[in-house]
Amino acid sequence: ETGVTQSPTHLIKTRGQQVTLRCSSQSGHNTVSWYQQALGQGPQFIFQYYREEENGRGNFPPRFSGLQFPNYSSELNVNALELDDSALYLCASSLPSGATDTQYFGPGTRLTVL
Amino acid sequence: RKEVEQDPGPFNVPEGATVAFNCTYSNSASQSFFWYRQDCRKEPKLLMSVYSSGNEDGRFTAQLNRASQYISLLIRDSKLSDSATYLCVVKLHSGNTPLVFGKGTRLSVIA
């Protein structure tokens, strides 16, 4: 196991609602990246947090937002949910910049928007 | 053009077969390359990094051709347990930069 945990494992919401997903990084990892994986697609980068600051963002609208806490755990918030937001949301933690390329993924949260 | 493109698959092969996956990437400045494996409804897991000199891990061999912007993965003596989706992954820089994934190629190894 990678030591990265996510909660909840599954979630069902309706259009227009808001959702918060949580991620606890592997011990010692201060960087968390979030990815969205739609059915049949590869994961797409949403954003990354490094030492509590956003450190890069993919092509996602502002209704996707995040936080990182002093213990390096992280949240992904999505407002005004749309049907296309249905996907597996993955977080990945990694070691300090420059030390390694490896990102370790959590088991994901499967979000269904009805 | 997509940043990372893979064989569409699916690949259905008998046990013991050798199977090769191909991948191309569009950004010539990319620095790091990987193959990840993803089982159904699970998270991606790093299978192996890919180096310019080529590298091997047991039955798995990865190759990188920077001039052609091409990455490959060869699986020899396929096992039933190799059935999964194989994701080609590229990073622009080393360190904490995002992974760029291909769509994945599904492999089914049949008894």
PDB file of all heavy atoms in Angstrom, chain A residues 31 35 37 40-43 45 48 90 94-95 97-98 101 103 105-107 110, chain B residues 32 34 36 38 41-44 46 87 91 93-99 101-103:
ATOM      1  N   THR A  31       3.758  17.345  -0.757  1.00  0.00           N
ATOM      2  CA  THR A  31       3.105  17.747  -2.000  1.00  0.00           C
ATOM      3  C   THR A  31       1.955  16.797  -2.309  1.00  0.00           C
ATOM      4  O   THR A  31       2.122  15.574  -2.233  1.00  0.00           O
ATOM      5  CB  THR A  31       4.106  17.720  -3.161  1.00  0.00           C
ATOM      6  OG1 THR A  31       5.196  18.590  -2.857  1.00  0.00           O
ATOM      7  CG2 THR A  31       3.451  18.170  -4.457  1.00  0.00           C
ATOM      8  N   TYR A  35      -6.121  14.548  -9.358  1.00  0.00           N
ATOM      9  CA  TYR A  35      -6.401  14.184 -10.740  1.00  0.00           C
ATOM     10  C   TYR A  35      -7.854  13.735 -10.856  1.00  0.00           C
ATOM     11  O   TYR A  35      -8.413  13.155  -9.915  1.00  0.00           O
ATOM     12  CB  TYR A  35      -5.508  13.016 -11.194  1.00  0.00           C
ATOM     13  CG  TYR A  35      -4.031  13.347 -11.264  1.00  0.00           C
ATOM     14  CD1 TYR A  35      -3.241  13.312 -10.118  1.00  0.00           C
ATOM     15  CD2 TYR A  35      -3.433  13.696 -12.467  1.00  0.00           C
ATOM     16  CE1 TYR A  35      -1.884  13.618 -10.182  1.00  0.00           C
ATOM     17  CE2 TYR A  35      -2.079  13.997 -12.542  1.00  0.00           C
ATOM     18  CZ  TYR A  35      -1.316  13.962 -11.392  1.00  0.00           C
ATOM     19  OH  TYR A  35       0.027  14.266 -11.458  1.00  0.00           O
ATOM     20  N   GLN A  37     -10.271  11.287 -13.198  1.00  0.00           N
ATOM     21  CA  GLN A  37     -10.244  10.239 -14.214  1.00  0.00           C
ATOM     22  C   GLN A  37     -11.679   9.869 -14.609  1.00  0.00           C
ATOM     23  O   GLN A  37     -12.381   9.203 -13.857  1.00  0.00           O
ATOM     24  CB  GLN A  37      -9.498   9.000 -13.731  1.00  0.00           C
ATOM     25  CG  GLN A  37      -9.326   7.957 -14.826  1.00  0.00           C
ATOM     26  CD  GLN A  37      -8.477   6.777 -14.403  1.00  0.00           C
ATOM     27  OE1 GLN A  37      -8.337   6.467 -13.226  1.00  0.00           O
ATOM     28  NE2 GLN A  37      -7.879   6.069 -15.384  1.00  0.00           N
ATOM     29  N   GLY A  40     -12.934   5.405 -18.891  1.00  0.00           N
ATOM     30  CA  GLY A  40     -12.289   5.132 -20.168  1.00  0.00           C
ATOM     31  C   GLY A  40     -11.185   6.089 -20.546  1.00  0.00           C
ATOM     32  O   GLY A  40     -10.652   6.014 -21.651  1.00  0.00           O
ATOM     33  N   GLN A  41     -10.843   7.003 -19.642  1.00  0.00           N
ATOM     34  CA  GLN A  41      -9.800   7.990 -19.915  1.00  0.00           C
ATOM     35  C   GLN A  41      -8.652   7.847 -18.932  1.00  0.00           C
ATOM     36  O   GLN A  41      -8.792   7.205 -17.890  1.00  0.00           O
ATOM     37  CB  GLN A  41     -10.377   9.405 -19.799  1.00  0.00           C
ATOM     38  CG  GLN A  41     -11.567   9.681 -20.698  1.00  0.00           C
ATOM     39  CD  GLN A  41     -11.201   9.638 -22.159  1.00  0.00           C
ATOM     40  OE1 GLN A  41     -10.150  10.146 -22.566  1.00  0.00           O
ATOM     41  NE2 GLN A  41     -12.052   9.013 -22.966  1.00  0.00           N
ATOM     42  N   GLY A  42      -7.522   8.460 -19.256  1.00  0.00           N
ATOM     43  CA  GLY A  42      -6.443   8.537 -18.291  1.00  0.00           C
ATOM     44  C   GLY A  42      -6.709   9.674 -17.312  1.00  0.00           C
ATOM     45  O   GLY A  42      -7.513  10.572 -17.588  1.00  0.00           O
ATOM     46  N   PRO A  43      -6.059   9.658 -16.165  1.00  0.00           N
ATOM     47  CA  PRO A  43      -6.230  10.754 -15.207  1.00  0.00           C
ATOM     48  C   PRO A  43      -5.802  12.097 -15.799  1.00  0.00           C
ATOM     49  O   PRO A  43      -4.825  12.159 -16.539  1.00  0.00           O
ATOM     50  CB  PRO A  43      -5.320  10.340 -14.050  1.00  0.00           C
ATOM     51  CG  PRO A  43      -5.197   8.855 -14.164  1.00  0.00           C
ATOM     52  CD  PRO A  43      -5.213   8.584 -15.644  1.00  0.00           C
ATOM     53  N   PHE A  45      -4.776  16.093 -14.744  1.00  0.00           N
ATOM     54  CA  PHE A  45      -4.282  16.907 -13.634  1.00  0.00           C
ATOM     55  C   PHE A  45      -5.239  18.053 -13.342  1.00  0.00           C
ATOM     56  O   PHE A  45      -5.586  18.827 -14.248  1.00  0.00           O
ATOM     57  CB  PHE A  45      -2.899  17.435 -13.997  1.00  0.00           C
ATOM     58  CG  PHE A  45      -2.312  18.400 -13.025  1.00  0.00           C
ATOM     59  CD1 PHE A  45      -1.934  17.984 -11.753  1.00  0.00           C
ATOM     60  CD2 PHE A  45      -2.113  19.729 -13.366  1.00  0.00           C
ATOM     61  CE1 PHE A  45      -1.372  18.878 -10.855  1.00  0.00           C
ATOM     62  CE2 PHE A  45      -1.543  20.618 -12.476  1.00  0.00           C
ATOM     63  CZ  PHE A  45      -1.176  20.200 -11.215  1.00  0.00           C
ATOM     64  N   GLN A  48      -2.098  21.089  -7.914  1.00  0.00           N
ATOM     65  CA  GLN A  48      -1.126  20.550  -6.967  1.00  0.00           C
ATOM     66  C   GLN A  48      -0.937  21.527  -5.823  1.00  0.00           C
ATOM     67  O   GLN A  48      -0.956  22.757  -6.038  1.00  0.00           O
ATOM     68  CB  GLN A  48       0.212  20.326  -7.658  1.00  0.00           C
ATOM     69  CG  GLN A  48       1.303  19.736  -6.777  1.00  0.00           C
ATOM     70  CD  GLN A  48       2.621  19.627  -7.527  1.00  0.00           C
ATOM     71  OE1 GLN A  48       3.412  20.558  -7.586  1.00  0.00           O
ATOM     72  NE2 GLN A  48       2.859  18.458  -8.107  1.00  0.00           N
ATOM     73  N   LEU A  90      -8.561  11.173  -7.886  1.00  0.00           N
ATOM     74  CA  LEU A  90      -7.353  10.577  -7.320  1.00  0.00           C
ATOM     75  C   LEU A  90      -6.470  11.660  -6.734  1.00  0.00           C
ATOM     76  O   LEU A  90      -6.289  12.717  -7.341  1.00  0.00           O
ATOM     77  CB  LEU A  90      -6.567   9.849  -8.409  1.00  0.00           C
ATOM     78  CG  LEU A  90      -7.270   8.656  -9.057  1.00  0.00           C
ATOM     79  CD1 LEU A  90      -6.667   8.369 -10.429  1.00  0.00           C
ATOM     80  CD2 LEU A  90      -7.145   7.434  -8.166  1.00  0.00           C
ATOM     81  N   SER A  94       3.799  13.146  -2.984  1.00  0.00           N
ATOM     82  CA  SER A  94       5.175  12.961  -3.439  1.00  0.00           C
ATOM     83  C   SER A  94       6.144  13.621  -2.461  1.00  0.00           C
ATOM     84  O   SER A  94       5.765  14.440  -1.639  1.00  0.00           O
ATOM     85  CB  SER A  94       5.359  13.512  -4.849  1.00  0.00           C
ATOM     86  OG  SER A  94       4.874  14.820  -4.956  1.00  0.00           O
ATOM     87  N   LEU A  95       7.406  13.194  -2.606  1.00  0.00           N
ATOM     88  CA  LEU A  95       8.457  13.700  -1.734  1.00  0.00           C
ATOM     89  C   LEU A  95       8.836  15.128  -2.127  1.00  0.00           C
ATOM     90  O   LEU A  95       8.475  15.590  -3.199  1.00  0.00           O
ATOM     91  CB  LEU A  95       9.677  12.788  -1.849  1.00  0.00           C
ATOM     92  CG  LEU A  95       9.549  11.431  -1.145  1.00  0.00           C
ATOM     93  CD1 LEU A  95      10.697  10.526  -1.539  1.00  0.00           C
ATOM     94  CD2 LEU A  95       9.526  11.616   0.359  1.00  0.00           C
ATOM     95  N   SER A  97      10.374  18.511  -3.597  1.00  0.00           N
ATOM     96  CA  SER A  97      10.756  18.787  -4.979  1.00  0.00           C
ATOM     97  C   SER A  97      12.217  18.472  -5.231  1.00  0.00           C
ATOM     98  O   SER A  97      13.087  18.821  -4.449  1.00  0.00           O
ATOM     99  CB  SER A  97      10.501  20.268  -5.284  1.00  0.00           C
ATOM    100  OG  SER A  97      10.867  20.564  -6.606  1.00  0.00           O
ATOM    101  N   GLY A  98      12.484  17.826  -6.326  1.00  0.00           N
ATOM    102  CA  GLY A  98      13.844  17.524  -6.748  1.00  0.00           C
ATOM    103  C   GLY A  98      14.352  16.199  -6.233  1.00  0.00           C
ATOM    104  O   GLY A  98      15.323  15.666  -6.734  1.00  0.00           O
ATOM    105  N   ASP A 101      10.857  11.629  -8.724  1.00  0.00           N
ATOM    106  CA  ASP A 101       9.746  11.868  -9.632  1.00  0.00           C
ATOM    107  C   ASP A 101       8.487  11.125  -9.212  1.00  0.00           C
ATOM    108  O   ASP A 101       7.449  11.333  -9.800  1.00  0.00           O
ATOM    109  CB  ASP A 101      10.120  11.368 -11.036  1.00  0.00           C
ATOM    110  CG  ASP A 101      11.069  12.317 -11.728  1.00  0.00           C
ATOM    111  OD1 ASP A 101      10.919  13.531 -11.570  1.00  0.00           O
ATOM    112  OD2 ASP A 101      11.952  11.810 -12.434  1.00  0.00           O
ATOM    113  N   GLN A 103       5.132   9.775  -7.792  1.00  0.00           N
ATOM    114  CA  GLN A 103       3.909  10.173  -7.102  1.00  0.00           C
ATOM    115  C   GLN A 103       3.161   8.909  -6.717  1.00  0.00           C
ATOM    116  O   GLN A 103       3.003   8.007  -7.521  1.00  0.00           O
ATOM    117  CB  GLN A 103       3.037  11.056  -8.007  1.00  0.00           C
ATOM    118  CG  GLN A 103       3.689  12.396  -8.330  1.00  0.00           C
ATOM    119  CD  GLN A 103       2.760  13.356  -9.058  1.00  0.00           C
ATOM    120  OE1 GLN A 103       1.551  13.150  -9.129  1.00  0.00           O
ATOM    121  NE2 GLN A 103       3.324  14.426  -9.591  1.00  0.00           N
ATOM    122  N   PHE A 105      -0.301   7.195  -5.469  1.00  0.00           N
ATOM    123  CA  PHE A 105      -1.732   7.463  -5.544  1.00  0.00           C
ATOM    124  C   PHE A 105      -2.511   6.816  -4.412  1.00  0.00           C
ATOM    125  O   PHE A 105      -2.195   5.710  -3.959  1.00  0.00           O
ATOM    126  CB  PHE A 105      -2.294   6.950  -6.877  1.00  0.00           C
ATOM    127  CG  PHE A 105      -1.962   7.837  -8.039  1.00  0.00           C
ATOM    128  CD1 PHE A 105      -0.785   7.672  -8.737  1.00  0.00           C
ATOM    129  CD2 PHE A 105      -2.825   8.855  -8.413  1.00  0.00           C
ATOM    130  CE1 PHE A 105      -0.471   8.501  -9.803  1.00  0.00           C
ATOM    131  CE2 PHE A 105      -2.520   9.690  -9.476  1.00  0.00           C
ATOM    132  CZ  PHE A 105      -1.341   9.516 -10.170  1.00  0.00           C
ATOM    133  N   GLY A 106      -3.533   7.520  -3.974  1.00  0.00           N
ATOM    134  CA  GLY A 106      -4.514   6.946  -3.077  1.00  0.00           C
ATOM    135  C   GLY A 106      -5.528   6.139  -3.862  1.00  0.00           C
ATOM    136  O   GLY A 106      -5.508   6.153  -5.106  1.00  0.00           O
ATOM    137  N   PRO A 107      -6.442   5.454  -3.170  1.00  0.00           N
ATOM    138  CA  PRO A 107      -7.404   4.578  -3.842  1.00  0.00           C
ATOM    139  C   PRO A 107      -8.487   5.309  -4.613  1.00  0.00           C
ATOM    140  O   PRO A 107      -9.200   4.698  -5.411  1.00  0.00           O
ATOM    141  CB  PRO A 107      -8.008   3.762  -2.692  1.00  0.00           C
ATOM    142  CG  PRO A 107      -7.840   4.635  -1.499  1.00  0.00           C
ATOM    143  CD  PRO A 107      -6.569   5.390  -1.708  1.00  0.00           C
ATOM    144  N   ARG A 110     -14.852   7.791  -5.845  1.00  0.00           N
ATOM    145  CA  ARG A 110     -15.696   7.711  -7.048  1.00  0.00           C
ATOM    146  C   ARG A 110     -16.922   8.582  -6.826  1.00  0.00           C
ATOM    147  O   ARG A 110     -17.744   8.296  -5.956  1.00  0.00           O
ATOM    148  CB  ARG A 110     -16.097   6.265  -7.322  1.00  0.00           C
ATOM    149  CG  ARG A 110     -16.781   6.080  -8.671  1.00  0.00           C
ATOM    150  CD  ARG A 110     -16.809   4.628  -9.100  1.00  0.00           C
ATOM    151  NE  ARG A 110     -15.486   4.051  -9.268  1.00  0.00           N
ATOM    152  CZ  ARG A 110     -14.732   4.197 -10.345  1.00  0.00           C
ATOM    153  NH1 ARG A 110     -15.166   4.905 -11.384  1.00  0.00           N
ATOM    154  NH2 ARG A 110     -13.539   3.621 -10.416  1.00  0.00           N
TER     155      ARG A 110
ATOM    156  N   SER B  32      10.751  13.156 -17.956  1.00  0.00           N
ATOM    157  CA  SER B  32      10.600  11.905 -17.202  1.00  0.00           C
ATOM    158  C   SER B  32       9.455  11.089 -17.806  1.00  0.00           C
ATOM    159  O   SER B  32       8.454  11.652 -18.243  1.00  0.00           O
ATOM    160  CB  SER B  32      10.291  12.196 -15.733  1.00  0.00           C
ATOM    161  OG  SER B  32      11.302  12.975 -15.155  1.00  0.00           O
ATOM    162  N   PHE B  34       7.220   7.192 -17.638  1.00  0.00           N
ATOM    163  CA  PHE B  34       6.836   6.091 -16.767  1.00  0.00           C
ATOM    164  C   PHE B  34       5.787   5.221 -17.442  1.00  0.00           C
ATOM    165  O   PHE B  34       5.052   5.675 -18.325  1.00  0.00           O
ATOM    166  CB  PHE B  34       6.207   6.624 -15.459  1.00  0.00           C
ATOM    167  CG  PHE B  34       6.992   7.703 -14.794  1.00  0.00           C
ATOM    168  CD1 PHE B  34       6.768   9.032 -15.100  1.00  0.00           C
ATOM    169  CD2 PHE B  34       7.953   7.397 -13.840  1.00  0.00           C
ATOM    170  CE1 PHE B  34       7.487  10.044 -14.493  1.00  0.00           C
ATOM    171  CE2 PHE B  34       8.675   8.399 -13.225  1.00  0.00           C
ATOM    172  CZ  PHE B  34       8.445   9.727 -13.550  1.00  0.00           C
ATOM    173  N   TYR B  36       2.544   3.156 -15.829  1.00  0.00           N
ATOM    174  CA  TYR B  36       1.733   2.828 -14.663  1.00  0.00           C
ATOM    175  C   TYR B  36       0.780   1.707 -15.059  1.00  0.00           C
ATOM    176  O   TYR B  36       0.361   1.589 -16.202  1.00  0.00           O
ATOM    177  CB  TYR B  36       0.896   4.046 -14.211  1.00  0.00           C
ATOM    178  CG  TYR B  36       1.609   4.983 -13.273  1.00  0.00           C
ATOM    179  CD1 TYR B  36       2.645   5.804 -13.724  1.00  0.00           C
ATOM    180  CD2 TYR B  36       1.239   5.079 -11.937  1.00  0.00           C
ATOM    181  CE1 TYR B  36       3.290   6.682 -12.861  1.00  0.00           C
ATOM    182  CE2 TYR B  36       1.875   5.961 -11.064  1.00  0.00           C
ATOM    183  CZ  TYR B  36       2.897   6.754 -11.543  1.00  0.00           C
ATOM    184  OH  TYR B  36       3.532   7.629 -10.683  1.00  0.00           O
ATOM    185  N   GLN B  38      -2.981   0.022 -14.006  1.00  0.00           N
ATOM    186  CA  GLN B  38      -4.208   0.300 -13.270  1.00  0.00           C
ATOM    187  C   GLN B  38      -5.157  -0.887 -13.409  1.00  0.00           C
ATOM    188  O   GLN B  38      -5.594  -1.229 -14.517  1.00  0.00           O
ATOM    189  CB  GLN B  38      -4.892   1.577 -13.783  1.00  0.00           C
ATOM    190  CG  GLN B  38      -6.092   1.987 -12.957  1.00  0.00           C
ATOM    191  CD  GLN B  38      -6.635   3.358 -13.322  1.00  0.00           C
ATOM    192  OE1 GLN B  38      -6.487   3.819 -14.448  1.00  0.00           O
ATOM    193  NE2 GLN B  38      -7.257   4.039 -12.359  1.00  0.00           N
ATOM    194  N   ARG B  41     -11.107  -0.355 -11.525  1.00  0.00           N
ATOM    195  CA  ARG B  41     -11.676   0.375 -10.397  1.00  0.00           C
ATOM    196  C   ARG B  41     -10.673   0.591  -9.250  1.00  0.00           C
ATOM    197  O   ARG B  41     -11.063   0.774  -8.104  1.00  0.00           O
ATOM    198  CB  ARG B  41     -12.950  -0.309  -9.883  1.00  0.00           C
ATOM    199  CG  ARG B  41     -13.988  -0.511 -10.971  1.00  0.00           C
ATOM    200  CD  ARG B  41     -15.258  -1.116 -10.413  1.00  0.00           C
ATOM    201  NE  ARG B  41     -16.047  -0.144  -9.688  1.00  0.00           N
ATOM    202  CZ  ARG B  41     -16.857   0.739 -10.233  1.00  0.00           C
ATOM    203  NH1 ARG B  41     -16.987   0.798 -11.549  1.00  0.00           N
ATOM    204  NH2 ARG B  41     -17.549   1.572  -9.485  1.00  0.00           N
ATOM    205  N   LYS B  42      -9.400   0.571  -9.591  1.00  0.00           N
ATOM    206  CA  LYS B  42      -8.349   0.828  -8.599  1.00  0.00           C
ATOM    207  C   LYS B  42      -7.515   2.027  -9.038  1.00  0.00           C
ATOM    208  O   LYS B  42      -7.685   2.543 -10.140  1.00  0.00           O
ATOM    209  CB  LYS B  42      -7.435  -0.403  -8.462  1.00  0.00           C
ATOM    210  CG  LYS B  42      -8.137  -1.643  -8.001  1.00  0.00           C
ATOM    211  CD  LYS B  42      -8.440  -1.594  -6.529  1.00  0.00           C
ATOM    212  CE  LYS B  42      -8.944  -2.932  -6.043  1.00  0.00           C
ATOM    213  NZ  LYS B  42      -9.263  -2.896  -4.595  1.00  0.00           N
ATOM    214  N   GLU B  43      -6.589   2.453  -8.158  1.00  0.00           N
ATOM    215  CA  GLU B  43      -5.728   3.557  -8.502  1.00  0.00           C
ATOM    216  C   GLU B  43      -4.572   3.111  -9.381  1.00  0.00           C
ATOM    217  O   GLU B  43      -4.173   1.934  -9.354  1.00  0.00           O
ATOM    218  CB  GLU B  43      -5.172   4.215  -7.216  1.00  0.00           C
ATOM    219  CG  GLU B  43      -4.111   3.431  -6.482  1.00  0.00           C
ATOM    220  CD  GLU B  43      -4.672   2.427  -5.510  1.00  0.00           C
ATOM    221  OE1 GLU B  43      -5.849   1.998  -5.653  1.00  0.00           O
ATOM    222  OE2 GLU B  43      -3.925   2.051  -4.587  1.00  0.00           O
ATOM    223  N   PRO B  44      -3.979   4.028 -10.144  1.00  0.00           N
ATOM    224  CA  PRO B  44      -2.778   3.688 -10.919  1.00  0.00           C
ATOM    225  C   PRO B  44      -1.608   3.405  -9.978  1.00  0.00           C
ATOM    226  O   PRO B  44      -1.455   4.076  -8.952  1.00  0.00           O
ATOM    227  CB  PRO B  44      -2.504   4.954 -11.742  1.00  0.00           C
ATOM    228  CG  PRO B  44      -3.735   5.776 -11.659  1.00  0.00           C
ATOM    229  CD  PRO B  44      -4.396   5.426 -10.363  1.00  0.00           C
ATOM    230  N   LEU B  46       2.696   2.688 -10.030  1.00  0.00           N
ATOM    231  CA  LEU B  46       3.897   2.769 -10.843  1.00  0.00           C
ATOM    232  C   LEU B  46       4.411   1.373 -11.159  1.00  0.00           C
ATOM    233  O   LEU B  46       4.683   0.573 -10.262  1.00  0.00           O
ATOM    234  CB  LEU B  46       4.975   3.571 -10.102  1.00  0.00           C
ATOM    235  CG  LEU B  46       6.302   3.711 -10.821  1.00  0.00           C
ATOM    236  CD1 LEU B  46       6.125   4.513 -12.125  1.00  0.00           C
ATOM    237  CD2 LEU B  46       7.331   4.384  -9.915  1.00  0.00           C
ATOM    238  N   LEU B  87      -0.872   2.468 -18.488  1.00  0.00           N
ATOM    239  CA  LEU B  87      -0.905   3.907 -18.757  1.00  0.00           C
ATOM    240  C   LEU B  87       0.504   4.422 -19.021  1.00  0.00           C
ATOM    241  O   LEU B  87       1.414   4.227 -18.196  1.00  0.00           O
ATOM    242  CB  LEU B  87      -1.495   4.651 -17.553  1.00  0.00           C
ATOM    243  CG  LEU B  87      -2.943   4.327 -17.199  1.00  0.00           C
ATOM    244  CD1 LEU B  87      -3.238   4.658 -15.751  1.00  0.00           C
ATOM    245  CD2 LEU B  87      -3.887   5.097 -18.112  1.00  0.00           C
ATOM    246  N   LYS B  91       6.330  13.427 -17.796  1.00  0.00           N
ATOM    247  CA  LYS B  91       6.450  14.659 -17.013  1.00  0.00           C
ATOM    248  C   LYS B  91       7.347  15.627 -17.750  1.00  0.00           C
ATOM    249  O   LYS B  91       8.374  15.221 -18.303  1.00  0.00           O
ATOM    250  CB  LYS B  91       7.056  14.373 -15.639  1.00  0.00           C
ATOM    251  CG  LYS B  91       6.137  13.696 -14.672  1.00  0.00           C
ATOM    252  CD  LYS B  91       6.797  13.493 -13.326  1.00  0.00           C
ATOM    253  CE  LYS B  91       6.956  14.789 -12.604  1.00  0.00           C
ATOM    254  NZ  LYS B  91       7.427  14.594 -11.204  1.00  0.00           N
ATOM    255  N   HIS B  93       9.091  18.145 -16.350  1.00  0.00           N
ATOM    256  CA  HIS B  93      10.319  18.333 -15.585  1.00  0.00           C
ATOM    257  C   HIS B  93      10.369  17.303 -14.477  1.00  0.00           C
ATOM    258  O   HIS B  93       9.350  16.755 -14.089  1.00  0.00           O
ATOM    259  CB  HIS B  93      10.357  19.731 -14.946  1.00  0.00           C
ATOM    260  CG  HIS B  93      10.242  20.849 -15.927  1.00  0.00           C
ATOM    261  ND1 HIS B  93      11.207  21.118 -16.864  1.00  0.00           N
ATOM    262  CD2 HIS B  93       9.259  21.762 -16.138  1.00  0.00           C
ATOM    263  CE1 HIS B  93      10.833  22.156 -17.592  1.00  0.00           C
ATOM    264  NE2 HIS B  93       9.665  22.565 -17.178  1.00  0.00           N
ATOM    265  N   SER B  94      11.541  17.077 -13.927  1.00  0.00           N
ATOM    266  CA  SER B  94      11.643  16.202 -12.767  1.00  0.00           C
ATOM    267  C   SER B  94      11.130  16.954 -11.541  1.00  0.00           C
ATOM    268  O   SER B  94      10.905  18.165 -11.590  1.00  0.00           O
ATOM    269  CB  SER B  94      13.100  15.773 -12.556  1.00  0.00           C
ATOM    270  OG  SER B  94      13.912  16.903 -12.356  1.00  0.00           O
ATOM    271  N   GLY B  95      10.937  16.251 -10.459  1.00  0.00           N
ATOM    272  CA  GLY B  95      10.448  16.886  -9.243  1.00  0.00           C
ATOM    273  C   GLY B  95       8.945  17.001  -9.237  1.00  0.00           C
ATOM    274  O   GLY B  95       8.245  16.216  -9.865  1.00  0.00           O
ATOM    275  N   ASN B  96       8.425  17.991  -8.536  1.00  0.00           N
ATOM    276  CA  ASN B  96       6.985  18.105  -8.313  1.00  0.00           C
ATOM    277  C   ASN B  96       6.265  18.798  -9.464  1.00  0.00           C
ATOM    278  O   ASN B  96       5.775  19.916  -9.341  1.00  0.00           O
ATOM    279  CB  ASN B  96       6.716  18.840  -7.000  1.00  0.00           C
ATOM    280  CG  ASN B  96       6.915  17.923  -5.815  1.00  0.00           C
ATOM    281  OD1 ASN B  96       6.725  16.729  -5.911  1.00  0.00           O
ATOM    282  ND2 ASN B  96       7.311  18.499  -4.702  1.00  0.00           N
ATOM    283  N   THR B  97       6.211  18.167 -10.592  1.00  0.00           N
ATOM    284  CA  THR B  97       5.415  18.660 -11.721  1.00  0.00           C
ATOM    285  C   THR B  97       4.379  17.597 -12.059  1.00  0.00           C
ATOM    286  O   THR B  97       4.553  16.429 -11.729  1.00  0.00           O
ATOM    287  CB  THR B  97       6.290  18.964 -12.942  1.00  0.00           C
ATOM    288  OG1 THR B  97       7.068  17.805 -13.245  1.00  0.00           O
ATOM    289  CG2 THR B  97       7.206  20.128 -12.671  1.00  0.00           C
ATOM    290  N   PRO B  98       3.277  17.997 -12.695  1.00  0.00           N
ATOM    291  CA  PRO B  98       2.195  17.034 -12.898  1.00  0.00           C
ATOM    292  C   PRO B  98       2.535  15.909 -13.868  1.00  0.00           C
ATOM    293  O   PRO B  98       3.355  16.061 -14.770  1.00  0.00           O
ATOM    294  CB  PRO B  98       1.055  17.895 -13.462  1.00  0.00           C
ATOM    295  CG  PRO B  98       1.669  19.140 -13.927  1.00  0.00           C
ATOM    296  CD  PRO B  98       2.924  19.345 -13.149  1.00  0.00           C
ATOM    297  N   LEU B  99       1.897  14.792 -13.635  1.00  0.00           N
ATOM    298  CA  LEU B  99       1.969  13.675 -14.561  1.00  0.00           C
ATOM    299  C   LEU B  99       0.968  13.907 -15.685  1.00  0.00           C
ATOM    300  O   LEU B  99      -0.151  14.348 -15.445  1.00  0.00           O
ATOM    301  CB  LEU B  99       1.626  12.372 -13.839  1.00  0.00           C
ATOM    302  CG  LEU B  99       2.510  12.006 -12.642  1.00  0.00           C
ATOM    303  CD1 LEU B  99       1.964  10.754 -11.966  1.00  0.00           C
ATOM    304  CD2 LEU B  99       3.939  11.801 -13.067  1.00  0.00           C
ATOM    305  N   PHE B 101      -0.964  11.798 -18.475  1.00  0.00           N
ATOM    306  CA  PHE B 101      -1.287  10.408 -18.756  1.00  0.00           C
ATOM    307  C   PHE B 101      -1.822  10.233 -20.169  1.00  0.00           C
ATOM    308  O   PHE B 101      -2.555  11.086 -20.684  1.00  0.00           O
ATOM    309  CB  PHE B 101      -2.383   9.913 -17.798  1.00  0.00           C
ATOM    310  CG  PHE B 101      -1.934   9.675 -16.399  1.00  0.00           C
ATOM    311  CD1 PHE B 101      -1.818  10.711 -15.499  1.00  0.00           C
ATOM    312  CD2 PHE B 101      -1.651   8.390 -15.965  1.00  0.00           C
ATOM    313  CE1 PHE B 101      -1.425  10.484 -14.188  1.00  0.00           C
ATOM    314  CE2 PHE B 101      -1.263   8.147 -14.665  1.00  0.00           C
ATOM    315  CZ  PHE B 101      -1.145   9.191 -13.774  1.00  0.00           C
ATOM    316  N   GLY B 102      -1.492   9.094 -20.757  1.00  0.00           N
ATOM    317  CA  GLY B 102      -2.212   8.655 -21.933  1.00  0.00           C
ATOM    318  C   GLY B 102      -3.548   8.064 -21.501  1.00  0.00           C
ATOM    319  O   GLY B 102      -3.836   7.930 -20.313  1.00  0.00           O
ATOM    320  N   LYS B 103      -4.321   7.680 -22.504  1.00  0.00           N
ATOM    321  CA  LYS B 103      -5.653   7.151 -22.234  1.00  0.00           C
ATOM    322  C   LYS B 103      -5.591   5.741 -21.652  1.00  0.00           C
ATOM    323  O   LYS B 103      -6.531   5.286 -21.014  1.00  0.00           O
ATOM    324  CB  LYS B 103      -6.426   7.151 -23.546  1.00  0.00           C
ATOM    325  CG  LYS B 103      -7.906   6.970 -23.431  1.00  0.00           C
ATOM    326  CD  LYS B 103      -8.553   7.170 -24.798  1.00  0.00           C
ATOM    327  CE  LYS B 103     -10.043   6.908 -24.714  1.00  0.00           C
ATOM    328  NZ  LYS B 103     -10.708   7.105 -26.014  1.00  0.00           N
TER     329      LYS B 103
END
